[in-house]
Amino acid sequence: MGQKREGCWMPHQYPALTTEQKKELQEIAERITAPGKGILAADESTGSMGKRLNPIGVENTEENRRLYRQLLFTADERMDACIGGVIFFHETLYQNTDDGTNFSQLIKDRGIVVGIKVDKGVVPLAGTDGETTTQGLDGLAERCAQYKKDGADFAKWRSVLKISDNTPSELAIMENANVLARYASICQQNGIVPIVEPEILPDGDHDLKRCQYITEKVLSAVYKALSDHHVYLEGTLLKPNMVTPGHSCPQKYTNEEIAMATVTALRRTVPPAVTGVTFLSGGQSEEEASINLNAINTCPLGKPWALTFSYGRALQASALNAWRGERDNEKAAAEEFLKRAEVNGLAAQGKYESTGDSGAAGQSLYVANHAY
Amino acid sequence: MQVMTTQFPSLSPVQKKELSDIAQRIVAPGKGILAADESTGTMSNRLQKINVENTEENRRTFRDLLFSAVDPNCIGGIIFFHETLYQKSDKGVLFPQVIKDKGIVVGIKVDNGTAGLNGTDGEMTTQGLDGLSGRCAQYKKDGCDFAKWRCVLKISDACPSALAIAENANVLARYASICQQNGLVPIVEPEILPDGDHDLLRTQYVTEKVLAATYKALNDHHVYLEGTLLKPNMVTAGHSCPKKFTPQEVGMATVTALRRTVPAAVPGITFLSGGQSEEEATQNLNAMNQTALHRPWKLSFSYGRALQASALAAWKGKAANKKAAQDAFTSRAKSNGLASKGEYTAVSSADQASMQSLHTANYVY
């Protein structure tokens, strides 16, 4: 059985995972995206943390990063009801609270799943219009095995695509889909649920339709690659962009239109076996990210996966502002974080009622899904 | 430099709505498809078994028997063969009109059969793309609203090959794209034959690979999924597999494979019956609809033999047997209508009991 023959694909299964491994992966994915729960993306690299701390006048030191993550991770029990998983950056996984408790252990003991960013950033694709792929596959199996020992049960890898007249190119789509599938395959071998993140940047003046079209093409390629690489879909999560117009698009769209375009794109490409879709917030404000997530969950189309959040800035912007590096502000900052966490927990169930507009204005602009 | 991501919309919103509405009507709750598109050659096989001569009139008489009795509560669409589309009922009404008057959607087989793929172990592709657009336009005028195209793959040590998978996925996508341009909902049929001694898991694995390739091709060809239907094989063990599997296992393996590959935007999946007996095909469909996994598409039937075998056997070409044949057909149609809702109860309690006791818990497919 399974002899290799020249030029022939051998249609035999060499099972990548045992039944027990599959069960473990699926259960982890389900715990992260349990009803009302989403992910706190606290995996800002050292460089990215600099961009967050600079505007609030805080020096980007290891201690300040530790103090900041501590105030989030020690927030009160309200966090446990709406946060199913936390994504760590490598440094943070090995930091401790003031009283010496390891952060990873702290989060785990709260019943929240620990995740780890494992990619090593973007690198250019020669011969393209400034497009990139993502590196980090070298030694990834060994790193995953160690992270699993150190408490992580899921991982995250971010690929990036952009929309312009010339992009994304076929190469960028194919290469990023392939590298995401390799990463996912390696994670699963080590008991780690891979979050697959093919982010299409919102930069540009393209409209909603263009973003939807490209999102469908990208996701179709991603799931073909995952199938080719024998990835167990029930033990994965998807972290896509919402379908939105470009930042400089002159036309404005309602939250319902964004939701309809997003859900339509996912329905056409993401197999029902995928346990959950945890949206990135991109450049959206905290409130925008929550309202859009809520609209997605109230969109009147069948949605066979959990639809929730994996937010960084959209969970932390107010908290950072309230903290400003002062220990005395920690409680107030944690309060801001919990507020956003609870709002997004409601949005993930379609139960968030924003005090702002939407409502009647949103409903009157509802467009039948055949136009999408 | 290859740029693939500029949209040149292939369908207007009005066209999309029409296609989507047709697909929804075919797989409305409790309904499935009667595959009455046997070619002249295939009808010869059917009629020979009951000692009936394969004449045009006999073929007309048999289809008339079915179409005059067909119940629109359990049949949402009927697939025609070209010849039948232009034949008339005993009362002189064109068959498509008879069907349409009952509120059932008319479909047409549009492929021209299989052709060999050189350099493979006896694998095939399917032909029929030449002039397909013009043919579809004419069929639409003549009353059709959906089409069917059958591709065939087989399982063996060397098959299906990467070429067979890619080529058949591509030709299905071309066919689907052309159909939609002409207002016809394409039924996409990538049949994996049940011949062989492979087990259930092997079929599941191959089915997942084939369907993943099919939906990638449909996406590449800009096909509007909400205006299509899928007609796959159920995931079963090969005919000569020594191990037997229950309808529950078939249901679980099939639904798992579909969940991993078929986007939720596809409104319905209408299984082919392959070599299954009438009862087997009904029980398996029923098990699909009782599987404890979320199914975002309708799971229904597109049966030929599994709807007509008893009717043919009862008819034997004799006018006196017409009612008996119609009753047999109606009974199967009703049973499958129930099975498409997971509400079918097997005739004998022994069947039920045996099904339950063989249920395998917990296996992760």
Side-chain angles (χ1 to χ4, degrees):
Chain A
M1 282 272 145
Q3 288 167 311
K4 191 117 176 92
R5 236 187 264 193
E6 283 290 353
C8 251
W9 169 70
M10 297 277 51
H12 289 270
Q13 186 173 18
Y14 301 95
L17 300 164
T18 64
T19 302
E20 289 70 33
Q21 285 175 305
K22 285 180 177 177
K23 260 194 170 149
E24 189 200 4
L25 290 167
Q26 184 170 4
E27 277 164 8
I28 291 168
E30 286 171 348
R31 271 167 49 217
I32 296 169
T33 56
K37 297 192 183 186
I39 298 172
L40 163 62
D43 62 320
E44 296 86 354
S45 63
T46 310
S48 290
M49 274 313 286
K51 293 191 207 145
R52 305 279 175 267
L53 299 178
N54 206 287
I56 54 168
V58 177
E59 204 187 340
N60 189 17
T61 61
E62 192 183 335
E63 178 60 7
N64 280 340
R65 293 192 293 273
R66 186 193 71 81
L67 284 169
Y68 175 62
R69 266 65 180 262
Q70 177 176 245
L71 79 84
L72 296 175
F73 298 168
T74 56
D76 70 40
E77 68 281 349
R78 283 173 284 169
M79 180 180 176
D80 305 336
C82 40
I83 301 294
V86 174
I87 317 178
F88 281 63
F89 177 61
H90 179 91
E91 172 193 77
T92 320
L93 204 66
Y94 304 101
Q95 288 180 321
N96 303 327
T97 60
D98 291 342
D99 63 13
T101 307
N102 170 258
F103 278 158
S104 169
Q105 195 60 49
L106 176 71
I107 291 297
K108 247 189 137 124
D109 288 345
R110 299 186 67 151
I112 300 173
V113 189
V114 171
I116 177 72
K117 185 227 295 284
V118 298
D119 71 77
K120 294 194 167 165
V122 299
V123 290
L125 281 173
T128 67
D129 187 8
E131 294 179 289
T132 62
T133 181
T134 298
Q135 56 183 7
L137 291 179
D138 298 350
L140 181 58
E142 291 73 22
R143 293 174 57 219
C144 282
Q146 187 61 49
Y147 284 137
K148 181 79 174 176
K149 287 201 189 105
D150 296 338
D153 282 315
F154 74 98
K156 182 212 113 181
W157 172 294
R158 177 173 176 259
S159 269
V160 185
L161 297 133
K162 62 175 183 175
I163 299 178
S164 73
D165 280 348
N166 300 321
T167 60
S169 66
E170 200 175 346
L171 171 64
I173 293 176
M174 183 272 294
E175 163 60 23
N176 281 288
N178 191 63
V179 82
L180 278 165
R182 277 294 298 137
Y183 140 79
S185 169
I186 292 168
C187 281
Q188 292 194 327
Q189 289 299 301
N190 292 283
I192 295 210
V193 166
I195 296 189
V196 172
E197 181 178 354
E199 173 172 11
I200 302 164
L201 297 173
D203 305 50
D205 61 2
H206 52 273
D207 63 8
L208 187 69
K209 263 192 150 51
R210 182 102 193 277
C211 182
Q212 182 187 335
Y213 178 77
I214 287 168
T215 302
E216 289 177 16
K217 292 302 177 193
V218 168
L219 290 179
S220 175
V222 167
Y223 282 97
K224 181 60 165 62
L226 290 175
S227 170
D228 290 344
H229 286 258
H230 316 302
V231 175
Y232 176 59
L233 292 187
E234 292 87 334
T236 66
L237 295 172
L238 178 70
K239 180 166 171 168
N241 49 284
M242 294 182 188
V243 173
T244 62
H247 275 160
S248 13
C249 179
Q251 190 177 351
K252 295 301 161 208
Y253 297 85
T254 64
N255 306 106
E256 283 72 20
E257 287 172 308
I258 284 169
M260 181 62 85
T262 303
V263 175
T264 299
L266 297 175
R267 278 168 54 80
R268 290 176 180 168
T269 54
V270 183
V274 173
T275 297
V277 176
T278 60
F279 294 98
L280 60 93
S281 46
Q284 297 180 48
S285 69
E286 289 174 328
E287 188 63 8
E288 212 182 335
S290 300
I291 295 179
N292 280 333
L293 180 62
N294 192 63
I296 283 168
N297 276 286
T298 57
C299 174
L301 294 175
K303 306 174 281 297
W305 347 255
L307 291 167
T308 184
F309 58 94
S310 175
Y311 292 168
R313 278 168 286 178
L315 275 171
Q316 302 176 58
S318 297
L320 277 160
N321 250 330
W323 178 51
R324 309 198 80 82
E326 302 293 335
R327 298 224 63 162
D328 291 340
N329 294 342
E330 279 173 8
K331 215 167 178 309
E335 205 53 41
E336 291 296 328
F337 161 62
L338 285 168
K339 221 191 308 184
R340 290 327 304 174
E342 288 189 311
V343 160
N344 286 310
L346 288 171
Q349 302 172 83
K351 293 178 181 169
Y352 175 52
E353 281 167 28
S354 161
T355 46
D357 56 301
S358 254
Q363 282 157 15
S364 67
L365 289 170
Y366 173 79
V367 181
N369 61 317
H370 302 291
Y372 286 81
Chain B
M1 170 153 45
Q2 297 271 343
V3 182
M4 298 296 143
T5 49
T6 307
Q7 185 173 18
F8 301 97
S10 44
L11 297 164
S12 69
V14 170
Q15 287 176 300
K16 284 181 176 178
K17 184 173 197 312
E18 189 200 16
L19 291 167
S20 173
D21 287 348
I22 291 168
Q24 296 284 349
R25 273 167 50 214
I26 296 170
V27 293
K31 300 190 188 189
I33 298 172
L34 163 62
D37 61 320
E38 296 86 354
S39 63
T40 309
T42 304
M43 274 314 280
S44 165
N45 289 341
R46 307 274 178 268
L47 297 178
Q48 201 184 50
K49 287 202 169 77
I50 54 170
N51 287 320
V52 174
E53 206 188 337
N54 187 22
T55 62
E56 194 184 333
E57 177 56 17
N58 280 341
R59 293 192 294 273
R60 189 203 68 77
T61 302
F62 182 64
R63 267 66 181 263
D64 182 76
L65 181 161
L66 297 175
F67 297 168
S68 53
V70 67
D71 179 0
N73 288 319
C74 37
I75 299 294
I78 299 181
I79 317 178
F80 279 63
F81 177 61
H82 179 92
E83 171 192 76
T84 320
L85 203 66
Y86 304 102
Q87 288 180 322
K88 294 178 181 168
S89 67
D90 289 348
K91 298 182 184 148
V93 181
L94 278 169
F95 279 148
Q97 197 57 50
V98 172
I99 295 307
K100 273 185 119 132
D101 287 345
K102 290 188 165 207
I104 300 173
V105 188
V106 175
I108 177 73
K109 184 227 297 284
V110 298
D111 70 79
N112 281 337
T114 55
L117 282 175
N118 304 322
T120 66
D121 186 11
E123 294 179 293
M124 323 291 282
T125 180
T126 296
Q127 49 188 6
L129 291 180
D130 297 350
L132 181 59
S133 188
R135 294 174 57 221
C136 284
Q138 187 61 48
Y139 284 138
K140 181 76 174 177
K141 286 201 190 103
D142 295 339
C144 300
D145 283 314
F146 74 99
K148 181 212 116 181
W149 173 294
R150 177 174 175 258
C151 273
V152 185
L153 297 131
K154 61 177 183 175
I155 297 178
S156 72
D157 277 351
C159 305
S161 65
L163 171 63
I165 294 177
E167 163 61 22
N168 282 287
N170 191 62
V171 82
L172 277 166
R174 278 294 299 134
Y175 140 79
S177 169
I178 292 170
C179 280
Q180 291 193 329
Q181 290 300 301
N182 291 283
L184 296 180
V185 166
I187 295 189
V188 173
E189 181 178 354
E191 173 172 10
I192 302 164
L193 296 173
D195 305 48
D197 60 3
H198 52 274
D199 66 8
L200 189 71
L201 277 188
R202 180 98 191 279
T203 304
Q204 184 187 332
Y205 176 76
V206 171
T207 302
E208 288 175 15
K209 293 302 179 194
V210 167
L211 290 179
T214 303
Y215 282 95
K216 181 57 165 63
L218 289 174
N219 183 280
D220 289 344
H221 285 258
H222 317 302
V223 175
Y224 176 60
L225 292 188
E226 291 87 334
T228 66
L229 294 171
L230 177 70
K231 179 166 171 167
N233 50 283
M234 294 185 187
V235 173
T236 62
H239 274 161
S240 11
C241 178
K243 188 164 183 231
K244 296 302 159 205
F245 297 88
T246 64
Q248 283 70 26
E249 290 170 307
V250 169
M252 182 63 90
T254 306
V255 174
T256 299
L258 298 171
R259 278 169 51 79
R260 290 175 181 169
T261 53
V262 184
V266 175
I269 298 175
T270 54
F271 295 99
L272 59 96
S273 46
Q276 299 180 41
S277 70
E278 289 175 327
E279 186 61 17
E280 219 181 330
T282 303
Q283 287 196 17
N284 283 336
L285 177 62
N286 195 54
M288 306 283 171
N289 281 292
Q290 293 183 340
T291 302
L293 292 172
H294 178 59
R295 297 157 259 119
W297 354 253
K298 298 275 179 38
L299 291 178
S300 187
F301 57 95
S302 176
Y303 290 168
R305 276 168 288 180
L307 274 171
Q308 301 175 60
S310 295
L312 276 161
W315 179 49
K316 294 191 179 6
K318 300 189 183 350
N321 296 338
K322 184 173 171 182
K323 177 130 197 347
Q326 288 177 322
D327 287 347
F329 166 60
T330 303
S331 170
R332 282 331 303 174
K334 280 200 160 78
S335 296
N336 286 308
L338 288 172
S340 78
K341 295 188 278 184
E343 293 171 7
Y344 175 68
T345 319
V347 175
S348 87
S349 54
D351 289 332
Q352 277 181 284
S354 65
M355 281 184 336
Q356 283 159 10
S357 66
L358 289 170
H359 174 68
T360 307
N362 262 350
Y363 184 84
V364 177
Y365 285 78

